[in-house]
């Protein structure tokens, strides 16, 4: 059902039928554990969620997700009772085995031993069936449980986006032609399709310069620069709360002998170095010493997304809907303290707001409503510019509160004395260059050349 | 400062060129269909040249069957063929003819099986201590992570941390600025290309030991490959274009992420010497049909100048026929000395492809004196392949106390820093194989 909804909402130009096989790469059941290497055992804390059913129901409703949480809870309860049955059977088996041993070693009544052995055999068969049934149910339940979203932050608006700050107002300007036309006229852009576009001359320099500018400014705020890997396995993609089987969420690579080291479920995805899964691959299953927190990392590079959700459901998106974007991505790990994390979030939003302010183009910062949040986000501050062609706001960058949702799934922890706790994460894409470029071109559609577009001196010095 | 003012002048020149171009549409509207190759049938199917083509194939990698080409060509001369038969034969003929490799430069054909050292720059650094290998330096200074990543981000993946990541960016900027000052135009290119374009550049995609990653063709319509070098995207950009002779020689540069599936178990290629993804600055040239040799020399000199200014000890090799890929007429490889490994490692190459790619991608130009358009000649070269450069730089500039000196030309791009030391702002993280502690206790209940 969820897949059909997605197919309707985002026209997939490059996609044949998506076969949904409901196989989790993250949670591997016992029967498969023999044939498949279980990379990670995620920490499932859904019991706590089920204690507050009304909050969970409201969460799913506001996010407009097609999940029946009551059904999930009831299946979970069935699983728990089956597990209890299995445990009882297991205990009985152990008991009988003990008794047999006792009898054998003391008075050795052969008839009694035979009776017990028969009983034991029946119990073992029962147990075998129950264990199998538990595994089957586990597969179904865990996939459902893992698809439950993160909690909603109290600051997340329920209905409409909430404007946090605004600098300049471009929405009053009149509509222009699309940035693709403008770019072609200035001879800085050749757009063939969402998978193929070329930036030329000054626009190519703009791309390099913007990446450098944003990264440099963040490094002044104690961020450490990283150069990340561009591939991610299904385990990590699912760990980030994304659908690892949906080809419209991440690019899935063809399996070849060289890249297939585990069985089918853990495939290779092209995510790009400047992306959330790439940072998560680095942190998964690792323990950070508390003295290093908050650990602020920034990376610049590519970000690949087969389908970008636009704010307005229009057919033509140009640079706003391209699959390859040069971006700057940040990732902050904080200690298990809500105020710590929110402090980092506020500081980062303020820092990024300042960077955009210095850039000089009109923009605004909004908190996105629940229905626009991704599964792993509990609060999202979106940096948006106005597209004069589409007559709507386009998100250029964002900073999100992920809390401990991802860290529990991928076991990202920190150590305080002997205790290990899950980190709380703030992540975000600071800037996505094609989107910024598209809005800038439309804002300055009268410019005679790209170089004549007013970019402040500080940035220009960095660019040229 | 001087470099900046030169770059500014170059940029003004570049800007002016683009303003001029914006007024007069230079390139015609380009269809995105990979064209049918226009091969040199007069040469390939001429009995006079058959022996030399056969010789060439033998000395090259042995791919290509000129006898088959001749046979099919002869069959096609038969007028009594049915339409269907003719079409099938034509298809087969084109496939066979496409596989014939490019000619070999006559100077190079004289070499036997080993490359000829054409130039040597600098000397091996004298160390008064045992020089360490890149991976040891990176481990000691906490600059890179490669362990326990296979199950998360793929085989042989790596992360550069802190100042090593800054050095990668510094190398890219340094190289780009140098290219801009040498009349190159910067283009930003796509990394996912239709397989057809990659094949037209001379790389086979569907073989077993393929070098190319592909998108799952059950999920995505059409055959899409991840490009192994910006050369392919740039060739794709020029596909089906008719250039004006005043624009030649055309020099294009691109910074891109390159994806290569090839693996190597050779111990010389350990560490980040051969990886599956890396950043590269690529040069691409287009010339008239008789000027590609001159531009090849220009590319080579530019590479030698760039690398030697970073303090590296280099040797330039003119590659023998069996080392040339199908499209190459002549290829230079530049190797840099890696003191930690005690070997020369290839850091760049540049190839003259004459009209091999342009015949397959329909890249033509209108000659000066009018007449019908001719196939252009294309060239490509690596301006900077980051991982190998970093290996060579760190191993060459390492100091006794373990820190690494930053070569002068890169210092302005690293905020004026002079050395790379231990990255104390990046914590040592423990890798834990087993479950979360609380989960272990729960299971034991």
């Amino acid at each position: 059902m969820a897949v059909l909804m997605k197919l309707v909402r985002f026209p997939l130009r490059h996609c044949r039928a998506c076969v949904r096989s409901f196989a989790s790469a993250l949670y591997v059941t016992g029967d498969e554990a023999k044939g498949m290497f279980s990379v990670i055992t995620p920490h499932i804390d859904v019991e706590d969620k089920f204690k507050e059913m009304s909050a969970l129901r409201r969460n799913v409703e506001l996010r407009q997700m097609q999940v029946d949480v009551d059904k999930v809870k009831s299946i979970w309860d069935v699983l728990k009772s089956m597990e209890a049955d299995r445990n009882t059977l297991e205990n009985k088996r152990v008991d009988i085995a003990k008794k047999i041993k006792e009898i054998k070693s003391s008075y050795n009544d052969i008839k009694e031993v035979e009776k017990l052995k028969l009983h034991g055999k029946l119990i073992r068969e029962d147990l075998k069936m129950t264990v199998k049934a538990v595994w089957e149910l586990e597969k179904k339940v865990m996939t459902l449980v893992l698809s439950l979203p993160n909690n909603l932050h109290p600051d997340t608006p329920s209905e409409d986006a909430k404007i946090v700050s605004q600098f300049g107002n471009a929405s009053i300007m009149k509509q222009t032609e699309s940035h693709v036309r403008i770019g072609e006229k200035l001879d800085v852009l050749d757009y063939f399709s969402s998978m193929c576009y070329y930036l030329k001359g000054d626009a190519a320099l703009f791309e390099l310069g913007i990446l450098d500018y944003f990264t440099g400014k963040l490094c002044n705020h104690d961020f450490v620069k990283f150069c990340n890997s561009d591939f991610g396995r299904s385990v990590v993609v699912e760990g980030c709360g994304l659908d690892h089987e949906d080809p419209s969420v991440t690019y899935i690579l063809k399996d070849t002998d060289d890249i297939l080291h585990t069985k089918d479920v853990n495939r290779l995805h092209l995510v790009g170095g400047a992306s959330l899964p790439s940072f998560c691959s680095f942190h998964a299953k690792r323990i950070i010493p508390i003295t290093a927190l908050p650990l602020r990392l920034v990376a610049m590079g590519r970000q690949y997304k087969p389908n970008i959700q636009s704010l307005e459901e229009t057919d033509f998106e140009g640079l706003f809907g391209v699959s390859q974007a040069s971006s700057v991505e940040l990732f902050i790990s904080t200690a298990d303290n809500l105020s710590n994390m929110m402090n980092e979030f506020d500081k980062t939003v303020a820092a990024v707001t300042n960077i955009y302010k210095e850039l000089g183009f009109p923009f605004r910062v909004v908190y996105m409503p629940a229905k626009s949040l991704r599964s792993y986000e509990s609060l999202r501050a979106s940096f948006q510019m106005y597209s004069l062609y589409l007559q709507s706001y386009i998100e250029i960058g964002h900073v999100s509160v992920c809390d401990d949702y991802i860290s529990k799934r991928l076991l990202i922890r920190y150590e305080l004395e002997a205790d290990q706790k899950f980190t709380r994460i703030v992540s975000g894409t600071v800037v996505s260059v094609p989107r910024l470029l598209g809005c800038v071109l439309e804002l300055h559609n009268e410019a005679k050349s790209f170089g004549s577009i007013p970019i402040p001196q500080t940035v220009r010095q960095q660019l040229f | 400062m001087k470099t900046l003012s030169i770059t500014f002048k170059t940029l003004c020149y570049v800007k002016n060129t683009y303003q001029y171009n914006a007024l007069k549409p230079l390139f015609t509207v380009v269809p995105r269909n990979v064209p049918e190759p226009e091969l040199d049938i007069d040469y390939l199917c001429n009995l006079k040249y058959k022996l030399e083509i056969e010789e060439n194939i033998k000395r090259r990698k042995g791919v290509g069957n000129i006898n088959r080409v001749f046979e099919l060509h002869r069959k096609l001369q038969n007028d009594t063929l049915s339409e269907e038969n003719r079409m099938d034969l034509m298809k087969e003929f084109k496939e066979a003819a496409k596989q014939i490799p490019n000619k070999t430069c006559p100077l190079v054909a004289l070499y036997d099986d080993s490359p000829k050292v054409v130039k040597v720059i600098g000397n091996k650094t004298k160390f008064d201590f045992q020089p360490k290998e890149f991976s040891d330096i990176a481990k000691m200074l906490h600059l890179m992570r490669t362990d326990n990543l296979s199950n998360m981000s793929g085989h042989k993946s790596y992360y550069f941390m802190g100042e090593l990541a800054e050095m990668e960016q510094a190398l890219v900027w340094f190289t780009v600025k140098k290219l801009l000052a040498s009349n190159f135009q910067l283009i930003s290119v796509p990394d996912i290309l239709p397989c057809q374009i990659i094949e037209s550049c001379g790389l086979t995609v569907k073989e077993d030991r393929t070098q190319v990653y592909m998108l799952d063709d059950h999920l995505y319509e059409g055959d899409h490959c991840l490009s192994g070098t910006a050369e392919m995207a740039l060739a794709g950009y020029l596909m089906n274009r008719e250039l004006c002779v005043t624009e030649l020689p055309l020099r294009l540069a691109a910074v891109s992420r390159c994806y290569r599936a090839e693996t190597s178990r050779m111990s010389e290629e350990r560490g980040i010497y051969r990886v599956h993804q890396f950043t590269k600055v690529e040069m691409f040239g287009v010339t008239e049909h008789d000027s590609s040799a001159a531009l090849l020399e220009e590319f080579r000199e530019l590479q030698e100048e760039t690398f030697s200014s970073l303090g590296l000890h280099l040797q330039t090799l003119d590659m023998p026929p069996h080392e040339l890929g199908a499209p190459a007429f002549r290829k230079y490889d530049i190797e840099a000395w890696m003191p930690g490994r005690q070997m020369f490692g290839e850091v760049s190459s540049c190839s003259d492809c004459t009209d091999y790619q342009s015949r397959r991608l329909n890249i033509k130009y209108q000659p000066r004196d009018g007449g019908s358009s001719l196939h252009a000649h294309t060239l490509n070269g690596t301006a900077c392949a980051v991982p190998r450069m970093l290996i060579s730089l760190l191993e060459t500039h390492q100091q006794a106390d373990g820190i690494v000196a930053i070569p002068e030309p890169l210092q302005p791009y690293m905020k004026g820093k002079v050395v790379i030391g231990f990255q104390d702002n990046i914590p040592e993280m423990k890798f834990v194989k087993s479950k979360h502690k609380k989960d272990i206790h729960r299971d034991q209940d």
Side-chain angles (χ1 to χ4, degrees), chain B residues 68-84:
Chain B
R68 183 106 186 93
V69 172
F70 263 78
E71 189 191 319
L72 289 164
H73 183 71
R74 199 174 31 83
K75 279 195 185 153
L76 279 167
Q77 307 301 328
N78 186 351
D79 286 325
T80 63
L81 283 174
S82 70
E83 196 53 49
E84 204 186 307

Side-chain angles (χ1 to χ4, degrees), chain A residues 13-17 37 39-44 185-187 190 192 195-202 204-205 207-209 212 219-220 224-233 235-236 247-248 250-254 258-259 261-262 266-268 270 278-279 281-289 292 295 300 302 304 306 324 411 413 415 418-422 448-449 451 462-464, chain B residues 4 8 11 14-15 18-19 21-22 27 30 32 145 147 149-155 157-163 165-166 168-169 172-173 176-177 180 186-193 209-210 212-222 224 226 232-234 236-237 241 255-257 259 261-263 276-277 415 425-439 442:
Chain A
R13 273 161 279 186
H14 302 287
C15 187
R16 290 204 194 119
F37 175 54
V39 181
I40 244 184
T41 312
H43 175 71
I44 311 277
K185 272 206 290 213
L186 292 176
D187 202 25
D190 269 3
F192 294 104
M195 278 176 90
C196 182
Y197 69 97
Y198 294 84
L199 299 180
K200 306 190 283 190
D202 282 353
L205 280 167
E207 180 184 55
L208 277 187
D212 218 32
C219 285
N220 291 341
V224 180
K225 193 163 189 300
F226 259 52
C227 252
N228 296 347
S229 161
D230 300 77
F231 292 155
R233 290 212 180 264
V235 144
V236 171
S248 70
T250 55
Y251 276 119
I252 304 175
L253 296 181
K254 189 174 182 173
D258 281 343
I259 64 180
H261 288 283
T262 57
N266 206 13
R267 305 195 57 184
L268 211 58
L270 180 69
S278 190
F279 271 120
S281 302
F282 182 82
H283 286 281
K285 287 170 86 170
R286 302 189 100 204
I287 302 182
I288 310 175
L295 183 62
M300 66 183 188
R302 309 286 214 214
Y304 301 98
Q324 174 185 321
L411 299 185
R413 292 158 292 181
E415 193 156 58
D419 206 15
Q420 288 167 5
K421 293 201 169 154
F422 293 108
K448 287 286 179 291
S449 77
Q462 192 120 13
L463 294 186
F464 303 120
Chain B
L4 281 172
F8 186 71
L11 277 153
V14 169
K15 226 173 23 176
Y18 277 119
Q19 277 178 313
N21 289 345
F27 302 146
V30 282
R32 286 307 288 175
R145 181 184 158 199
D147 62 297
L149 285 170
S150 207
N151 286 316
M152 300 295 171
S153 52
H155 190 50
S157 49
Y158 61 95
Y159 287 75
F160 288 152
M161 311 193 286
E163 281 165 346
E166 287 177 29
E168 164 167 331
Q169 194 51 21
V172 168
W173 264 125
V176 166
K177 289 266 168 84
L180 289 173
L186 191 65
I187 297 195
S188 175
V189 296
D191 296 330
I192 306 176
L193 298 172
R209 295 254 49 208
T210 182
V212 177
Y213 284 112
M214 291 177 61
L215 295 186
D216 190 338
D217 46 5
H218 296 121
L219 302 171
Y220 304 98
E221 213 176 295
H224 300 278
L226 301 190
M232 304 179 183
L234 287 171
Y237 170 71
R241 286 189 199 263
V255 182
S256 74
R257 198 75 181 159
Y259 301 97
E262 68 208 33
T263 52
H276 293 307
Q277 55 207 250
K415 298 185 202 147
N425 50 359
I426 302 171
E428 283 283 353
M429 298 195 236
K430 279 201 295 196
F431 178 77
V432 180
K433 274 192 183 163
S434 55
K435 297 180 190 179
H436 187 53
K437 272 190 186 167
K438 295 204 177 80
D439 288 332
R442 190 198 292 174

Side-chain angles (χ1 to χ4, degrees), chain A residues 432-443:
Chain A
S432 172
V433 171
R435 297 174 148 234
L436 177 64
L437 183 61
C439 288
V440 167
L441 282 173
E442 287 175 8
L443 271 175

Side-chain angles (χ1 to χ4, degrees), chain A residues 26 40 235-236 239-240 280 284-285 406-412:
Chain A
L26 200 50
I40 244 184
V235 144
V236 171
C240 291
C280 291
K285 287 170 86 170
I406 299 180
S407 15
K408 282 186 178 160
R409 293 156 82 96
L410 292 176
L411 299 185
I412 305 176

